[in-house]
Amino acid sequence: MPCPSASLAVWSAAWLAGGAAADDVLDALAPWSEAHDVVAADTAVAAVTDLPTPDHAGTGLAALLALARRRSAGNGPDARVVLPAPGDVRGLPGPDALRAAALEAGECAVLAGPALALVPSAVADGVLRWTVHLVDDVPPAAHPSLADAEHDLRTGVRDAADTLAALDVARPRRGVREEIADALRRRPHASWPAGTPGRPLRVLQHADEVEAILLAASGDDPGGAMSSSAALARNDALRPLATAVRAARVAAVAETVRVLTAA
């Protein structure tokens, strides 16, 4: 899984569709944090949802699932992950407070049926808080097909490598392979619902590998040998690849939800 919001989107959709138990959802989120709590974004959301406001202790994830079930009656189990970045907020609904919070977190889960958006944030050691926003109008899912996203990711890797080589800023440094492998080992390994198709898993694995390479490629040279202009050119070359990673993850989660909720 790319992030806790993706775990929540996939598992809550499977649960709403009757393909998973509530305990399965809770167990699937455990790799992301020892504890999870849930609060409303503000007093207006609290009045509608009966969730505590952010200045109070949060409630458990079971209350969130009950709220999603209550608000999704007749609306279907559609869910998605949104991975916004500055200048790229595709698929992110309003209100403005949600947009700001999701941009700061770099992620959110949108449960289209219940019209809820959930933004995670670490509020204490071992505690991940989910802030619940109400969304009046969920925009159409803004992502390429899984096939297109996979193609764009592979093309992005090739184009970035060619551009970096042309700029002469792609010189290897000692220990980079170990750095990439360590980044992959440290990622949480979350579970998937039964019936999850294999292709989205492969795309997500590739996206994880590319992200680890991006992190390594974005690091400073030992001794700061790279000039500021070269560093800027490198970052410009890598930016489209980072966008391709996000798009691949969004598309993979969307395809997984589509398969798991098909009836």
Side-chain angles (χ1 to χ4, degrees):
M1 288 288 187
C3 61
S5 294
S7 290
L8 181 59
V10 169
W11 279 95
S12 62
W15 175 71
L16 288 170
D23 285 346
D24 295 333
V25 183
L26 304 184
D27 290 344
L29 288 167
W32 297 106
S33 182
E34 295 176 10
H36 297 255
D37 72 8
V38 181
V39 298
D42 53 37
T43 54
V45 175
V48 173
T49 62
D50 292 327
L51 294 173
T53 52
D55 55 332
H56 291 78
T59 189
L61 282 171
L64 173 60
L65 295 181
L67 173 65
R69 175 76 77 190
R70 189 166 66 247
R71 289 178 57 88
S72 66
N75 293 326
D78 179 30
R80 68 189 70 158
V81 65
V82 181
L83 304 175
D88 181 9
V89 294
R90 288 174 293 174
L92 185 61
D96 289 344
L98 166 61
R99 287 177 171 259
L103 273 168
E104 182 176 355
E107 62 177 277
C108 76
V110 177
L111 309 185
L116 301 172
L118 318 161
V119 181
S121 60
V123 293
D125 188 25
V127 179
L128 188 67
R129 168 162 290 183
W130 294 91
T131 300
V132 177
H133 299 256
L134 299 179
V135 290
D136 295 328
D137 185 21
V138 178
H143 60 81
S145 68
L146 185 60
D148 287 343
E150 185 175 22
H151 175 268
D152 291 346
L153 184 59
R154 295 186 184 279
T155 301
V157 170
R158 184 178 64 248
D159 291 348
D162 290 346
T163 301
L164 292 174
L167 293 169
D168 196 25
V169 293
R171 292 182 294 274
R173 68 177 190 272
R174 182 178 300 176
V176 69
R177 291 184 182 275
E178 292 78 8
E179 183 181 337
I180 292 169
D182 182 61
L184 291 171
R185 279 194 302 270
R186 287 187 284 105
R187 291 191 64 82
H189 295 284
S191 61
W192 289 80
T196 297
R199 188 174 187 183
L201 291 178
R202 292 192 296 272
V203 171
L204 286 176
Q205 181 180 0
H206 187 204
D208 284 351
E209 293 167 352
V210 173
E211 182 180 63
I213 294 169
L214 276 170
L215 290 173
S218 299
D220 291 334
D221 281 12
M226 182 178 291
S227 68
S228 59
S229 60
L232 181 61
R234 176 198 59 190
N235 293 340
D236 287 344
L238 294 176
R239 191 172 296 111
L241 185 54
T243 300
V245 167
R246 294 197 309 275
R249 286 171 165 168
V250 170
V253 168
E255 177 64 12
T256 300
V257 169
R258 186 192 68 79
V259 171
L260 293 176
T261 60

